[in-house]
């Protein structure tokens, strides 16, 4: 089964690193991914997270775009409740004007932060309730068909930056189908509703000016390595890292203590988050992705590398591009 292959870059700040180190690594990865033949790279909006450097998402996209030539770049996604639609239209209209034909705008309904951070962002918890209306308002600015008389996005007017609805539940699937927009499901960390959501989206899809047929992007964790054993070890290290960050904040635990956390009910939830993971040799990963794409009814896979080690992360992407024949 042939599907497009793209990358979600979490702009990770590793232990002992700075945000500047993360940006340097993201540029390096993007340049390699462009050479290797990946379709697009997305960056996600997160706030108040000391290990993720993509909070100013549009700024990071512009930085990467200025250092690459052809690969599509975008937000996966912008958390629209944190912003006015006009501001996002101006930001991504600017990006599209500077880098025509290369910019995507994925939109999420979640705040991308906790309640305290939401207050620091000056957002109201009810902002998410207006998400469908905000998507339409944003779409109008980018299409040059404003829904607010006398208000236009400059830049942005008429750029028609393609929109994508992100989600991990039926809500996003329903909205994407109703508006005739591509749908990206976050199955790399929220796998439970994948099949139900993509099936509903395809069944209920209404063609639009942007899209005539349904288009599904599904997230999947990938660690490809020269041996199955090494790939599995990288996955275990990733789970340990996640358990330490999520369940043992501020505590310095031994490996044995972290493994005990992973075996606890809370740890098993972390295990469940990585249900859809392609881990092993290139051939094993290739076979898994074919099966996963069919299960997800996906037109495109957005791969996320869980590997904590940057060299292993890059090697994984290189092996995957080779086995999938991306550069052919």
């Amino acid at each position: 089964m042939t599907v497009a292959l793209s990358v979600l870059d979490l702009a990770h700040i590793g232990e002992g690193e700075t945000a500047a180190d993360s940006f340097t690594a993201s540029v390096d990865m993007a340049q390699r991914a462009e050479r290797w033949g990946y379709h697009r790279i997305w960056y996600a909006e997160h706030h108040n997270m000391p290990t993720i450097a993509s909070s100013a998402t549009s700024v990071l996209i512009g930085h990467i775009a200025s250092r690459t030539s052809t690969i599509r770049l975008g937000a996966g996604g912008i958390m629209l409740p944190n912003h006015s639609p006009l501001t996002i239209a101006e930001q991504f209209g600017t990006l599209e004007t500077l880098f025509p034909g290369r910019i995507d705008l994925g939109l999420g309904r979640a705040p991308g932060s906790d309640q305290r951070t939401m207050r620091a962002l000056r957002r109201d918890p009810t902002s998410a309730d207006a998400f469908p209306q905000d998507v339409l308002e944003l779409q109008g600015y980018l299409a040059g068909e404003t829904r607010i008389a006398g208000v236009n996005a400059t830049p942005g007017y008429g750029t028609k930056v393609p929109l994508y609805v992100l989600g991990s539940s039926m809500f996003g699937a329903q909205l994407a189908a109703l508006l005739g927009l591509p749908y990206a499901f976050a199955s790399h960390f929220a796998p439970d509703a994948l099949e139900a959501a993509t099936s509903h989206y395809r069944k209920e899809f209404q063609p639009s000016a942007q899209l005539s047929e349904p288009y599904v992007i599904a997230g999947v964790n990938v660690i490809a390595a020269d041996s199955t054993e090494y790939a599995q070890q990288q996955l275990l290290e990733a789970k340990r890292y996640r358990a330490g960050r999520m369940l043992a904040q501020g505590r310095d635990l031994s490996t044995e203590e972290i493994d005990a956390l992973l075996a606890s009910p809370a740890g098993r939830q972390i295990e469940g988050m990585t249900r859809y993971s392609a881990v092993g040799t290139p051939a094993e990963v290739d076979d898994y992705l074919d099966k996963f794409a069919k299960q997800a009814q996906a037109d495109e896979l957005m791969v996320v590398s869980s590997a904590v080690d940057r060299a292993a992360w890059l090697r994984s992407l290189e092996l995957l591009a080779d086995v999938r024949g991306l550069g052919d």
Side-chain angles (χ1 to χ4, degrees):
M1 183 177 181
T2 301
V3 297
L5 210 59
S6 300
V7 181
L8 178 63
D9 180 2
L10 295 177
H12 177 66
I13 303 173
E15 187 174 350
E17 291 185 339
T18 65
D21 296 325
S22 171
F23 297 149
T24 298
S26 287
V27 169
D28 178 46
M29 189 278 285
Q31 292 172 339
R32 292 171 187 255
E34 185 172 76
R35 294 197 304 270
W36 292 333
Y38 283 91
H39 182 51
R40 70 177 106 228
I41 306 172
W42 278 359
Y43 307 87
E45 177 187 351
H46 294 282
H47 298 282
N48 194 32
M49 294 188 180
T51 61
I52 296 179
S54 52
S55 54
T57 316
S58 60
V59 179
L60 179 58
I61 292 169
H63 177 70
I64 304 293
S66 69
R67 288 156 177 80
T68 52
S69 301
T70 57
I71 195 167
R72 295 193 67 86
L73 301 165
I78 288 294
M79 301 298 107
L80 197 52
N82 293 339
H83 312 274
S84 73
L86 178 61
T87 297
I88 297 304
E90 292 169 341
Q91 290 179 7
F92 280 79
T94 298
L95 288 169
E96 175 63 25
T97 302
L98 291 170
F99 310 102
R102 296 181 58 202
I103 303 301
D104 302 324
L105 177 49
L107 301 168
R109 184 170 65 117
S113 59
D114 57 31
Q115 294 296 317
R116 289 180 301 175
T117 306
M118 185 185 298
R119 289 195 294 272
L121 289 167
R122 302 297 191 270
R123 307 311 297 169
D124 188 285
T126 63
S127 298
D129 296 341
F131 182 67
Q133 293 76 25
D134 287 349
V135 172
L136 288 172
E137 184 181 332
L138 172 59
Q139 187 177 47
Y141 290 133
L142 294 172
E145 300 170 356
T146 182
R147 290 172 172 260
I148 300 180
V151 178
N152 289 290
T154 306
Y157 182 95
T159 55
K160 298 181 180 179
V161 177
L163 302 183
Y164 298 75
V165 174
L166 278 59
S168 58
S169 68
M170 293 302 295
F171 181 89
Q174 292 164 348
L175 182 63
L178 179 65
L179 300 183
L181 295 175
Y183 180 50
F185 192 90
S187 36
H188 59 290
F189 74 89
D192 290 347
L194 172 63
E195 293 177 66
T198 55
S199 293
H200 176 90
Y201 168 73
R202 288 194 175 277
K203 180 181 178 182
E204 301 298 330
F205 179 83
Q206 301 294 314
S208 67
Q210 178 177 326
L211 194 64
S212 60
E213 299 288 340
Y215 192 88
V216 172
I217 302 174
V220 59
N221 300 290
V222 173
I223 301 179
D226 294 298
S227 72
T228 304
E229 294 73 21
Y230 185 75
Q232 291 291 347
Q233 182 61 36
Q234 287 294 313
L235 178 63
L236 177 58
E237 292 299 328
K239 290 177 180 177
R240 286 170 173 166
Y241 178 82
R242 184 175 292 186
R245 299 296 306 177
M246 296 178 65
L247 305 177
Q249 291 183 356
R251 291 186 287 165
D252 186 15
L253 301 184
S254 67
T255 300
E256 291 76 15
E257 289 171 322
I258 291 289
D259 287 344
L261 276 180
L262 281 172
S264 70
R268 287 194 289 273
Q269 286 187 323
I270 292 177
E271 291 276 356
M273 292 170 67
T274 59
R275 181 190 311 168
Y276 296 122
S277 296
V279 181
T281 64
E284 290 169 332
V285 167
D286 185 45
D287 182 62
Y288 182 98
L289 293 183
D290 278 342
K291 294 174 181 176
F292 173 74
K294 292 175 183 177
Q295 179 182 356
Q297 303 180 64
D299 301 286
E300 180 178 339
L301 298 180
M302 184 71 64
V303 304
V304 186
S305 177
S306 302
V308 176
D309 180 73
R310 287 204 191 281
W313 175 43
L314 291 173
R315 180 61 175 159
S316 178
L317 291 175
E318 182 179 20
L319 290 172
L320 180 57
D322 183 60
V323 76
R324 301 294 283 189
L326 299 187
D328 295 347

